Amino acid sequence: MSSVRVRFAPSPTGFFHIGSARTALFNWLYARHTGGKFILRIEDTDKARNSEEFLNVIYDSLTWLGLNWDEGPKIGGDFGPYRQSERDAIYREYLQRLLDGGRAYEKDGAIWFKLLGDRHEVYDDHRQKTVTKVKTAPTVIEDRIRGRVERTEDEDFVIVRSDGNPVFHFVNVVDDITMRITHVIRGEDHLSNASKHVELFKAFGAPVPEFAHIPLILKQNGPGKMSKRDQGALVEEYQRRGYIAEALVNFLSLLGWNPGDDREKMPLDEIVRLFDLPGVNQSNARFDDKKLAHMNMLYLLELPADEFVARARTFFDSQAGDSPALAADATYFREVMLLSQPKIKGIEELPAYTVYFFTEDFPMDEKVKAKVLGKGEPKTRLNELIAALAAMDFSSDEAIENAIKAVAETNGQGFGAYQSVARLALTGTNVGPSITGIMRVLGRERTGRRLTKLAAAI
Ligand code: GLU
């Protein structure tokens, strides 16, 4: 068994966004690739900004994405508790070690971490006060993604605030030590903290974990990092919109990593097999919601019929208002959904895409209507179809197609002359599944009624 132990350490201060999901995923993938452990740790020391609601969103989103944790809240483990708000005693013990070893001291009510090196006072113009500078050697971080990074810490820093709350750097490192974390895989925004963290590890005499800082995700349009406020940034939004979790995971895996060739859609076990830190790009990745939608469509197309129908029903159920689709016969609902499956890009399109199957009161696209009725002899074509309906074989798309072709031939017309006007009568639009599929699913009776209604209106 591998000794790799990685952790995802979110702070429940906001909704769970794409960047967090990607960090969680890369940790999870690394753990699964190496046969190590994936630990979930909640960094909730900032009581004012944390909420239980956000915490539940983290659990739900990770669970939805399939990123199961081996140790952490809800399931426990040998190195818990896994919420920082429950680890006070551990922090106090570790603080005492620093105090006893002369590596921490109190000043102005706060507790400071003491760097080692020659000290001198200088006046800082910017902050308009005298500060103590410490002459130290640069801290070296051998980052698995960024390579060698050097940074010099030259001032002591606060580790426990005057209100008694420990600071992020301190609890983060104490937890990584006590939870025996071997690899710290996190967003590049934390690279600037790594030197402080390394100095803390050393002060505790603890081994420094490997660091891997993953590149930022840039917002879709324009410069800068994608933020929680950007459109499409929240994971639960995709869940709500009926996205397939596996598709989102596949998409996220490619935000800053590639399998070494230009493959995109890949089964999860293949991603796990190929994922490794050297494969993570140094350059930033750009979010692209069209690419995500496309990936989702590829997964939708492959869903087995039963699963697609079940997901469709769940989505209709989740929509506000009573869709007549929910009251429809289950077999009919299934047929409608399976007819639509190869045609849509996302589950969320289904209600609008299938509206005319479930009501006689469906919208008519007036532009399409004007165009279709403005050419040829639409009324005659409709009446010819209506006349043939009673004898028409509705058992398959092919049978219906042959029947329409026969009507067309008898009347010296092309198939298209019937298709566009029938589509208008049956659906009110000029897009959708094949006309034969629509007729088969609607059935002889509904088809006849709608054709007759339009013929009478012309
Ligand atoms: N709580 C930090 C964050 O949410 C995690 C820092 C780390 O992974 O070391 O960004």
Side-chain angles (χ1 to χ4, degrees), residues 386-401:
I386 293 164
L389 268 188
M392 205 177 272
D393 175 0
F394 263 71
S395 63
S396 71
D397 288 17
E398 209 185 4
I400 295 172
E401 184 174 333

Side-chain angles (χ1 to χ4, degrees), residues 64-341:
W64 179 64
L65 290 169
L67 306 181
N68 57 318
W69 54 98
D70 304 309
E71 294 171 27
K74 289 177 187 264
I75 60 167
D78 291 343
F79 305 92
Y82 292 90
R83 287 180 67 167
Q84 289 186 333
S85 55
E86 295 167 4
R87 295 172 62 80
D88 261 4
I90 298 166
Y91 303 139
R92 238 172 293 138
E93 180 196 327
Y94 272 74
L95 180 64
Q96 197 57 49
R97 286 198 202 176
L98 290 183
L99 290 165
D100 292 347
R103 294 302 307 272
Y105 60 91
E106 206 237 275
K107 189 181 85 182
D108 305 332
I111 298 180
W112 298 68
F113 177 68
K114 185 176 182 181
L115 295 173
L116 299 180
D118 291 338
R119 298 170 169 260
H120 59 283
E121 314 257 295
V122 295
Y123 186 78
D124 185 320
D125 287 335
H126 189 63
R127 285 181 281 176
Q128 301 202 339
K129 62 175 187 185
T130 303
V131 295
T132 305
K133 291 281 176 192
V134 189
K135 209 169 158 42
T136 62
T139 307
V140 178
I141 298 130
E142 296 286 358
D143 194 271
R144 292 285 296 269
I145 295 164
R146 305 305 310 248
R148 186 186 170 93
V149 177
E150 285 188 17
R151 200 184 149 89
T152 307
E153 290 297 327
D154 64 355
E155 277 180 37
D156 294 348
F157 52 90
V158 171
I159 51 177
V160 180
R161 289 196 196 86
S162 48
D163 63 6
N165 279 326
V167 167
F168 160 70
H169 304 299
F170 174 70
V171 290
N172 183 269
V173 167
V174 169
D175 287 349
D176 283 343
I177 293 171
T178 52
M179 294 178 184
R180 310 205 184 157
I181 300 304
T182 59
H183 294 69
V184 170
I185 305 171
R186 62 184 174 189
E188 198 182 271
D189 46 332
H190 286 291
L191 185 58
S192 59
N193 296 323
S195 47
K196 286 191 178 68
H197 297 180
V198 168
E199 293 308 319
L200 281 164
F201 279 108
K202 288 188 191 156
F204 283 117
V208 179
E210 302 250 11
F211 284 101
H213 287 93
I214 47 188
L216 299 179
I217 301 174
L218 301 177
K219 64 171 83 193
Q220 177 137 355
N221 306 302
K225 185 186 161 191
M226 187 173 189
S227 87
K228 300 181 198 205
R229 288 168 299 282
D230 284 318
Q231 166 101 18
L234 300 184
V235 170
E236 61 178 326
E237 189 183 311
Y238 295 101
Q239 187 177 5
R240 188 174 48 71
R241 288 168 59 189
Y243 268 65
I244 298 182
E246 289 81 357
L248 182 54
V249 164
N250 193 156
F251 168 83
L252 288 172
S253 76
L254 299 172
L255 276 181
W257 173 80
N258 67 69
D261 52 39
D262 48 17
R263 260 183 312 166
E264 302 226 303
K265 184 170 182 297
M266 279 184 292
L268 185 59
D269 54 3
E270 183 73 352
I271 299 175
V272 167
R273 190 173 71 78
L274 294 172
F275 185 86
D276 207 351
L277 295 175
V280 177
N281 307 332
Q282 281 202 22
S283 54
N284 293 331
R286 191 175 293 280
F287 183 75
D288 181 346
D289 63 356
K290 289 204 187 62
K291 191 168 162 184
L292 172 52
H294 181 73
M295 185 68 84
N296 186 56
M297 185 187 76
L298 298 178
Y299 276 80
L300 267 184
L301 280 174
E302 283 186 359
L303 279 188
D306 287 347
E307 204 187 322
F308 182 82
V309 175
R311 281 173 184 266
R313 182 160 296 279
T314 306
F315 186 75
F316 274 90
D317 271 333
S318 74
Q319 296 304 99
D322 280 333
S323 166
L326 291 170
D329 171 75
T331 312
Y332 181 68
F333 180 88
R334 180 187 172 86
E335 289 297 319
V336 172
M337 295 308 142
L338 293 183
L339 186 64
S340 309
Q341 183 178 7

